[in-house]
């Protein structure tokens, strides 16, 4: 295992003082898988007060002494060091009421959630893997340590973590664990919205999100019931080959995994369709206003999940505009003016991902979108006007023409629309002549 200098220092310090010391959990799993490790957790048979003594010359934060955890800063990197422990009852279904410290590393590993996270490794490369986690990694399986119902009853968020890991790692979920995921999914209602939100964001960015979101849609509806009407809903449209939910899932998977805003917007983009669906006399489905309704629903759901205001606003803006027709350079300017440049390009990528999950002939529309994107880059490069601030005249200029009060803003909006529509050039004299003429009529 490739151990960085700071990690090796922490492990060495504990060993020098006669204690066992292992890296444990996700960092070991990721190393075995060849993935980059971001956080290294350390477990040891040293008691909390002994950990404090070992690292007395380091900056130490006693983050969770009651549960045996001490955070040590080494080379500017924080390391959580936790004493081997046996957990007591989880009456709040989140944290153990009490813990009992132990000298047995296997007893400590037995309390962990999944076998792939119940592997320990010391600085010499020796592995402790009593539950077959390494084999499960090799076979691509998420399996609870011990009885799945007991693990999920201790902390129901593990239900969400199971599907998140399956999506993120590209694994399948073991039969008994999957059965417990399905049967106990409603326990997620007892989990804080913030914890649910964090797992949901990771899930939708996973490489295996299609299989997980389709195979465990009832887990998603347990935390966001508003998705229930989308499951299995035939769109009855020549543009669509999938149900609303499957279309949603496949659109998500078309977006870059690192673009959380885009994937989140695609998750919610058609949530308004079921309530807006109308069937015409020919049996065809129509969804007028589903973008507006979806944006409103998304705002309420995201606020309930405690997303920050900026994320809520941007996501809702993308959803509210994802069905708007953009066919010309002027259309691009108007939408850039409305959303801002950065969000405009997110919208264009959203439209392309949306199309990728429809019938194949719809993909031809992406050619037009690419042209719009190219035009938008030219607009930026040429610094073409797409905001009131960018107009060649300002409010003071209009006041000198005798325009007052609310009329100033109305005139500016009208001038901007003319400029963006390329009906009037963004020339000071030309704009002043138009404004003066407007003032006289």
């Amino acid at each position: 295992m490739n151990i960085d200098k700071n990690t090796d220092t922490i492990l060495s310090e504990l060993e020098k003082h006669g204690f066992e010391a292992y890296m444990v959990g996700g960092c070991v799993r990721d190393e075995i898988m060849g993935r980059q490790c971001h956080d290294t957790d350390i477990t040891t048979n040293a008691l909390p007060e002994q950990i404090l003594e070992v690292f007395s010359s380091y900056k130490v934060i006693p983050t969770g002494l009651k549960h045996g955890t001490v955070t040590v800063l080494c080379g500017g990197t924080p390391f959580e060091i936790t004493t081997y422990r046996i957990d007591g009852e989880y009456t709040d279904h989140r944290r153990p009421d009490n813990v009992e410290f132990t000298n047995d590393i296997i007893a400590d590993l037995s309390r962990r959630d999944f076998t792939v996270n119940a592997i320990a490794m010391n600085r010499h490369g020796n592995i402790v893997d009593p539950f077959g986690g390494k084999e499960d990694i090799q076979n691509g399986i998420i399996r609870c340590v011990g009885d799945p119902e007991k693990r999920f009853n201790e902390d129901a968020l593990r239900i969400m973590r199971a599907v998140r890991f399956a999506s993120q790692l590209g694994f399948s979920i073991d039969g008994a664990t999957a059965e417990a995921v399905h049967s106990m999914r409603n326990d997620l209602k007892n989990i804080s919205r913030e914890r649910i939100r964090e797992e949901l964001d990771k899930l939708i960015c996973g490489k295996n999100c299609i299989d997980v979101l389709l195979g465990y849609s009832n887990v998603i509806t347990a935390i966001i019931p508003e998705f229930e009407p989308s499951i299995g809903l035939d769109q009855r449209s020549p543009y669509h080959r999938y149900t609303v939910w499957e279309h949603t899932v496949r659109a998500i998977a078309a977006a870059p995994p690192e673009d959380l805003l885009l994937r989140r917007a695609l998750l919610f983009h058609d949530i308004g369709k079921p309530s807006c669906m109308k069937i015409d006399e020919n049996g065809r489905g129509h969804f007028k206003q589903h973008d507006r309704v979806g944006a409103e629903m998304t705002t309420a759901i995201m606020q309930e999940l405690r997303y920050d205001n900026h994320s809520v606003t941007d996501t809702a803006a993308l959803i509210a505009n994802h069905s708007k027709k953009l066919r010309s350079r002027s259309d691009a300017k108007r939408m850039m003016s409305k959303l801002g440049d950065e969000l405009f390009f997110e919208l264009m990528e959203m439209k392309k991902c949306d199309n990728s999950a429809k019938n194949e002939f719809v993909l031809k529309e992406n050619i037009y979108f690419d042209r719009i994107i190219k035009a938008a880059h030219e607009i930026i490069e040429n610094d073409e006007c797409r905001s009131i601030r960018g107009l060649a005249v300002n409010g003071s200029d209009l006041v000198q023409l005798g325009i007052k009060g609310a009329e100033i803003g109305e005139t500016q909006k009208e001038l901007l629309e003319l400029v963006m529509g390329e009906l009037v050039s963004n020339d000071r004299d030309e704009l002043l002549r138009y404004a003066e003429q407007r003032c006289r009529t």
Side-chain angles (χ1 to χ4, degrees):
M1 182 174 181
N2 297 316
I3 303 175
D4 68 82
K5 179 181 178 181
N6 293 331
T7 302
D8 189 66
T9 298
I10 294 288
L11 296 170
S12 296
E13 287 282 7
L14 287 163
E15 286 187 355
K16 280 192 301 185
H17 286 78
F19 299 109
E20 296 175 5
Y22 291 91
M23 295 163 287
V24 68
C27 62
V28 179
R29 178 200 69 226
D30 289 344
E31 176 66 25
I32 292 171
M33 293 182 67
R35 301 172 80 234
Q36 184 176 0
C37 175
H38 298 288
D39 297 302
T40 301
D41 291 331
I42 308 294
T43 189
T44 178
N45 60 345
L47 295 171
E49 56 269 25
Q50 293 172 320
I51 298 173
L52 291 172
E53 185 177 343
V54 169
F55 295 100
S56 59
S57 63
Y58 292 73
K59 183 173 183 180
V60 176
I61 307 168
T63 45
L65 288 179
K66 178 182 176 183
H67 293 94
T69 301
V70 175
T71 298
V72 176
L73 288 177
C74 179
T77 302
F79 290 86
E80 282 197 354
I81 305 174
T82 303
T83 304
Y84 302 160
R85 72 189 200 198
I86 299 170
D87 292 343
E89 293 295 315
Y90 285 73
T91 54
D92 68 351
H93 303 287
R94 179 179 179 183
R95 298 184 186 279
D97 297 341
N98 56 74
V99 299
E100 178 185 337
F101 299 134
T102 177
N103 275 312
D104 186 358
I105 179 65
I106 294 177
D108 179 85
L109 294 175
S110 69
R111 69 182 175 81
R112 296 176 184 267
D113 52 6
F114 307 111
T115 61
V116 298
N117 296 331
I119 310 172
M121 181 186 292
N122 67 16
R123 62 186 291 267
H124 311 289
N126 299 315
I127 287 179
V128 180
D129 180 21
F131 306 105
K134 188 174 180 181
E135 183 178 356
D136 281 346
I137 289 172
Q138 292 167 346
N139 294 327
I141 294 173
I142 299 298
R143 184 196 315 271
C144 281
V145 173
D147 178 18
E149 290 193 7
K150 180 181 179 182
R151 290 284 86 85
F152 294 157
N153 191 54
E154 289 168 344
D155 184 357
L157 186 69
R158 289 171 172 170
I159 297 167
M160 198 71 188
R161 282 169 59 82
V163 293
R164 186 260 285 187
F165 279 126
S167 175
Q168 207 170 41
L169 302 178
F171 287 9
S172 60
I173 301 178
D174 163 72
T177 300
E179 186 177 338
V181 166
H182 288 300
S183 66
M184 299 180 70
R185 66 189 184 278
N186 288 328
D187 289 353
L188 288 167
K189 294 175 182 176
N190 301 320
I191 300 300
S192 75
R193 299 298 88 184
E194 292 87 349
R195 297 177 82 205
I196 292 290
R197 178 196 70 218
E198 290 174 8
E199 295 297 327
L200 179 64
D201 280 348
K202 293 174 183 176
L203 189 163
I204 63 174
C205 290
K207 61 183 178 182
N208 195 33
C209 70
I210 290 180
D211 289 345
V212 171
L213 289 170
L214 293 179
Y216 295 89
S217 59
N218 59 353
V219 175
I220 305 304
T221 58
I223 58 174
I224 307 176
E226 292 86 347
F227 278 125
E228 186 107 34
S230 298
I231 312 296
L233 180 61
D234 185 349
Q235 304 199 56
R236 301 192 185 187
S237 167
Y239 299 103
H240 287 278
R241 52 179 165 165
Y242 301 118
T243 64
V244 173
W245 180 245
E246 185 166 357
H247 161 76
T248 294
V249 170
R250 294 187 181 277
I252 293 169
E258 65 276 8
D259 194 337
L260 176 57
L261 172 61
L262 181 53
R263 286 209 166 197
R264 192 187 290 138
L266 287 163
L267 171 67
F268 290 107
H269 82 283
D270 278 350
I271 197 169
K273 273 192 169 180
S275 62
C276 293
M277 187 174 188
K278 303 292 181 185
I279 308 296
D280 67 20
E281 62 275 10
N282 298 315
R284 178 175 168 179
H286 299 275
F287 305 93
K288 292 181 179 179
Q289 298 296 313
H290 81 277
D291 44 6
R292 177 188 59 79
V293 171
E296 293 172 356
M297 293 175 68
T298 298
T299 296
I301 293 166
M302 289 184 68
Q303 288 175 341
E304 199 266 338
L305 288 171
R306 308 292 191 271
Y307 280 95
D308 64 273
N309 291 336
H310 184 69
S311 295
V312 175
T313 300
D314 283 355
T315 305
L318 289 173
I319 294 168
N321 290 283
H322 82 273
S323 294
K324 299 292 189 293
K325 300 296 182 184
L326 298 175
R327 296 296 188 192
S328 68
R329 190 185 189 87
S330 295
D331 289 342
K333 283 186 185 179
R334 292 186 182 96
M335 190 58 73
M336 293 167 81
S337 175
K338 183 177 183 180
L339 297 180
D341 296 347
E342 185 176 346
L343 211 57
F344 169 82
F345 288 114
E346 286 284 274
L347 176 67
M348 297 310 299
E349 292 305 317
M350 182 179 182
K351 284 175 162 292
K352 292 168 69 175
C353 292
D354 192 7
N355 278 354
S356 73
K358 298 178 182 178
N359 275 319
E360 286 189 17
F361 74 88
V362 183
L363 283 173
K364 294 179 181 178
E365 189 178 29
N366 284 2
I367 297 172
Y368 296 105
F369 293 157
D370 286 334
R371 291 174 184 169
I372 291 292
I373 291 170
K374 182 180 178 181
H377 283 296
E378 291 173 354
I379 289 166
I380 294 172
E381 186 177 343
N382 298 334
D383 196 23
E384 297 178 33
C385 178
R386 52 198 181 279
S387 68
I388 287 176
R389 183 177 294 180
L391 287 171
V393 296
N394 57 35
S396 298
D397 295 325
L398 299 180
V399 169
Q400 291 180 10
L401 294 178
I403 301 172
K404 300 178 181 179
E407 277 296 304
I408 295 173
E410 291 300 318
T411 303
Q412 288 176 315
K413 289 178 182 178
E414 188 174 332
L415 292 176
L416 177 61
E417 179 59 32
L418 290 168
V419 169
M420 290 193 299
E422 300 183 351
L423 299 173
V424 174
S425 63
N426 191 27
D427 175 80
R428 174 180 168 81
D429 291 337
E430 187 172 350
L431 291 176
L432 287 175
R433 281 196 299 271
Y434 182 89
E436 187 175 15
Q437 184 179 4
R438 180 186 186 277
C439 184
R440 290 173 180 173
T441 58

